[in-house]
Amino acid sequence: MNRNVAIQAARYLGVLLCVAIVAFPIYWLFLMAFKSAEEVYAVPPVYFPAEIQFGSFKALFGASEDAKTLANSMIIATFTTIIAMVLGTMCAYSMVRFKTGGNHFAIWIMSQRMLPPIAIVFPLFLAFAFMEILDTFPSIIIVYVAFNLPFVIWMMRGYIEDIPISLEESARIDGCNRWQVLHKVVLPMSRAGIFATAVFTFVFTWNEFVFALVLTNKDIVTYPVQVTGYFAAQQTYWNSVGAMSILGTIPVFLAVVFFQRYLVRGISMGAIKE
Amino acid sequence: MVSTSIAINRTNRSLLFSDRSFRYWLIAPAVLIILLVGLFPIIYSLVVSVQNITMMDQDYSWYGFIWYEDLWIDERFWESLWHTGLITIIALPAELILGLLLARMFLGEMKGKPIFIAILVTPAVICPVVVGAMWRLMFDTRYGPITHILSLFTDKPIEITWVVDPSWVYPVILIAEIWQWFPFMFLILLAALSNVNTDLTDAAAIDGAGFWATFFRISLPAIWPVMFIAILIRALDLVRIFDIVFVITKGGPGTLTETTPLYMYITGFHQFETSYTGAMVFSIIVLLSIIVVLALQRVEISR
């Protein structure tokens, strides 16, 4: 009995320690947004600010227009998610129901996902510069769509495989055409999978840095690139980094919390089935 | 009667689901976009890698494999591979073991479990750039909390310039990387462990198997397929590591923490060595593709 109590205590202690290690750096960075400039650079560091300030947030929405980068990220991530989901689900459906391309096609699709962004971004940069479409929404969205499609296809394939074919057959016999089968049977039946895959695609795109760093520069700068902009040669604007990080983390955090129960399968690329 | 109904069923099935053009219309847009964005850069890299295009020259004629020979003897390239490998071979097992330990602690009843999990998973959804910034701040020499906390335990003030000091810069990068991604391992392994049949582990315990024997003989083989995927995903992310290193050190001091992706970035966008970057990109893509296809075939077969 004593041994059990000791094990339980050790368990809670270990978990609480991990929670503290995870939570403290987040607290610390986010705190920067609410500190005054003196407190940010104070030695020794200030663990609890004397007064909560909102000046850093006001600055982002003020003359600097830095908050616009969040809107850019939102536009890019939303359109990427919608387009990749539509095209990816169609492709996955064809692969499952008609065995289009077989195993080799599936492996080829997935191997595209594994290409290092830094390797493909350099030729893309030169091509976009040549076509004068650098720093525009359509060009970066199409890159993100291509980069996320393999993941969407891979995931949706798993979910569509779980739909019994007999349901689709009855729908056909009842007079649905092929697109209606997709729309009225396949999509509703794979709703959980669509949510999970969409959330992941959104989060990947929202947080992506390499493509954004190279393919945007002025008009459509995204939020991760903006954060690195606060590291100047002489000093770092930690107030702004903190405020921007909070605003940039909230959307993805809410998405993940909201769709939590759908996500476990997605994070393992379908290896775990609920 | 029975045989006719089967026959009808079969014709129905082929009528319903075997329209050649429909199935190709479905995959066409996705394949087109992947080819456009994914294949073009590979071909482009291959082409320029056998030409002579640098900041000075724009020579589009055949130049041979000189850039590949240069790459083969480029010490900075081999060092960058070594840096990437070093980060991978330390971070990957660390994330795996931490994730596994934590997942094991979470098995069974526990108060506040959902809240703990929500907090623990947060790093994985934060932008890697922000995580890099976070740890640069934590390790700041003057106003960083880590320097301060450590100095409470020593008599002398600590004056380590963490991200510049050659002996400390790797630990800082590794801590940031592991901090961000062990929750990913934890979440996957927790789900996998929860699916392990408890009858089996209970039976083993009754038969006198100890904790470790049960774990290695029953739980580990049961979660291995999932664990393999998790390791594969993380390994592929780690060999592409860019964001965190870019924010924390930009490859410095000197080129001490320069990973291969960072080196590609520098040759391409700072030195404008188009042909040389092309040769490097093509070599890396070929190398990675072989590894990925071999690994994916294993996954696809076990699926």
Side-chain angles (χ1 to χ4, degrees):
Chain A
M1 202 56 212
N2 252 339
R3 202 178 120 81
N4 259 338
V5 173
I7 289 176
Q8 282 301 325
R11 234 178 109 204
Y12 275 97
L13 223 65
V15 168
L16 285 175
L17 185 71
C18 283
V19 168
I21 289 171
V22 163
F24 182 70
I26 301 175
Y27 165 75
W28 193 254
L29 183 68
F30 285 4
L31 197 62
M32 290 296 143
F34 303 106
K35 281 183 174 178
S36 65
E38 298 80 54
E39 283 176 327
V40 168
Y41 302 106
V43 180
V46 178
Y47 289 86
F48 304 100
E51 200 184 341
I52 300 287
Q53 316 251 352
F54 291 96
S56 325
F57 291 98
K58 277 185 202 135
L60 292 186
F61 289 94
S64 72
E65 289 195 331
D66 290 355
K68 217 188 90 193
T69 60
L70 290 162
N72 290 340
S73 278
M74 189 56 90
I75 292 170
I76 293 171
T78 308
F79 275 96
T80 300
T81 307
I82 294 170
I83 299 172
M85 285 308 297
V86 172
L87 301 185
T89 308
M90 278 162 49
C91 184
Y93 178 74
S94 174
M95 288 165 77
V96 172
R97 275 297 168 264
F98 308 119
K99 304 275 177 274
T100 315
N103 259 1
H104 290 293
F105 183 61
I107 288 173
W108 175 75
I109 291 266
M110 204 52 203
S111 71
Q112 293 298 305
R113 164 84 201 188
M114 306 303 177
L115 290 178
I118 193 72
I120 60 173
V121 78
F122 179 62
L124 286 177
F125 170 78
L126 297 175
F128 287 179
F130 179 74
M131 294 187 276
E132 295 182 349
I133 52 169
L134 270 180
D135 208 20
T136 60
F137 283 121
S139 63
I140 195 152
I141 288 172
I142 201 168
V143 171
Y144 280 139
V145 167
F147 196 66
N148 281 300
L149 265 175
F151 174 76
V152 174
I153 293 170
W154 190 268
M155 289 301 301
M156 290 312 297
R157 209 162 65 107
Y159 289 107
I160 292 171
E161 266 167 6
D162 295 348
I163 302 174
I165 193 168
S166 52
L167 274 177
E168 290 179 45
E169 284 170 347
S170 357
R172 284 289 279 159
I173 289 162
D174 289 347
C176 289
N177 68 29
R178 290 201 172 73
W179 293 103
Q180 284 172 325
V181 172
L182 258 178
H183 170 73
K184 290 189 173 154
V185 179
V186 178
L187 294 187
M189 289 291 290
S190 52
R191 219 180 55 191
I194 290 173
F195 283 146
T197 313
V199 169
F200 277 101
T201 307
F202 186 87
V203 174
F204 287 145
T205 312
W206 182 266
N207 287 341
E208 205 283 335
F209 178 60
V210 174
F211 288 124
L213 175 69
V214 175
L215 301 178
T216 73
N217 65 54
K218 191 168 97 264
D219 296 338
I220 58 157
V221 169
T222 65
Y223 126 82
V225 179
Q226 183 60 46
V227 169
T228 61
Y230 296 127
F231 297 99
Q234 295 306 317
Q235 64 161 335
T236 303
Y237 300 96
W238 286 115
N239 285 129
S240 308
V241 175
M244 205 64 187
S245 301
I246 292 177
L247 296 177
T249 305
I250 287 172
V252 283
F253 186 75
L254 287 182
V256 167
V257 168
F258 196 68
F259 292 105
Q260 203 177 21
R261 64 199 181 93
Y262 301 117
L263 298 185
V264 168
R265 183 165 171 180
I267 205 171
S268 66
M269 289 198 176
I272 298 167
K273 307 207 169 179
E274 292 107 304
Chain B
M1 274 305 279
V2 176
S3 66
T4 32
S5 89
I6 288 172
I8 287 166
N9 218 337
R10 200 170 287 146
T11 12
N12 271 344
R13 200 166 277 207
S14 60
L15 272 177
L16 298 183
F17 290 107
S18 74
D19 184 333
R20 285 195 82 80
S21 64
F22 179 68
R23 60 196 262 195
Y24 291 117
W25 277 118
L26 284 176
I27 66 164
V31 171
L32 197 73
I33 289 184
I34 294 175
L35 283 180
L36 206 67
V37 176
L39 203 61
F40 160 73
I42 300 174
I43 295 169
Y44 179 87
S45 299
L46 179 64
V47 170
V48 295
S49 74
V50 293
Q51 297 171 335
N52 186 13
I53 303 170
T54 62
M55 196 169 5
M56 306 297 170
D57 279 309
Q58 293 277 328
D59 179 3
Y60 295 103
S61 59
W62 171 258
Y63 192 65
F65 297 102
I66 294 162
W67 295 114
Y68 290 93
E69 286 167 26
D70 283 358
L71 187 64
W72 185 256
I73 55 167
D74 183 354
E75 273 180 34
R76 194 166 161 188
F77 173 66
W78 289 106
E79 276 170 22
S80 78
L81 283 179
W82 160 241
H83 299 150
T84 315
L86 183 72
I87 293 174
T88 307
I89 52 178
I90 298 177
L92 191 58
E95 287 165 15
L96 180 65
I97 292 168
L98 271 175
L100 199 55
L101 277 176
L102 198 59
R104 186 64 192 76
M105 283 196 269
F106 264 85
L107 276 187
E109 292 283 301
M110 178 178 268
K111 280 207 180 79
K113 206 162 159 180
I115 299 166
F116 289 150
I117 293 180
I119 296 174
L120 283 169
V121 172
T122 315
V125 302
I126 297 181
C127 176
V129 167
V130 170
V131 172
M134 188 182 284
W135 285 97
R136 217 171 115 162
L137 178 64
M138 291 287 290
F139 278 106
D140 192 278
T141 310
R142 284 183 55 244
Y143 43 82
I146 290 184
T147 317
H148 178 242
I149 291 168
L150 287 178
S151 72
L152 298 178
F153 296 98
T154 54
D155 302 330
K156 287 181 292 187
I158 292 182
E159 282 177 5
I160 304 172
T161 47
W162 300 97
V163 295
V164 185
D165 190 329
S167 50
W168 286 106
V169 63
Y170 269 103
V172 172
I173 291 174
L174 284 166
I175 286 173
E177 181 64 29
I178 295 167
W179 180 88
Q180 175 156 38
W181 293 112
F182 88 89
F184 168 88
M185 284 285 188
F186 156 69
L187 198 64
I188 291 188
L189 295 174
L190 179 62
L193 279 175
S194 314
N195 282 348
V196 173
N197 192 339
T198 45
D199 292 351
L200 287 177
T201 48
D202 289 349
I206 290 165
D207 288 346
F211 176 79
W212 292 108
T214 314
F215 180 76
F216 279 107
R217 295 284 174 78
I218 293 168
S219 302
L220 201 59
I223 63 171
W224 172 246
V226 171
M227 207 159 102
F228 178 78
I229 304 255
I231 293 171
L232 182 69
I233 295 173
R234 282 307 302 144
L236 284 164
D237 282 348
L238 274 164
V239 298
R240 298 184 296 193
I241 183 167
F242 182 88
D243 307 9
I244 281 185
V245 184
F246 182 87
V247 174
I248 295 182
T249 68
K250 276 219 165 74
T255 58
L256 190 72
T257 57
E258 190 173 87
T259 60
T260 312
L262 259 168
Y263 185 40
M264 286 186 197
Y265 178 76
I266 288 166
T267 56
F269 293 101
H270 289 189
Q271 303 171 346
F272 301 104
E273 294 280 356
T274 305
S275 286
Y276 192 53
T277 311
M280 200 175 346
V281 164
F282 191 72
S283 309
I284 292 290
I285 286 179
V286 169
L287 193 75
L288 270 184
S289 303
I290 295 170
I291 301 172
V292 168
V293 169
L294 288 180
L296 280 178
Q297 267 167 348
R298 282 198 56 175
V299 178
E300 187 66 2
I301 287 160
S302 68
R303 206 175 143 120

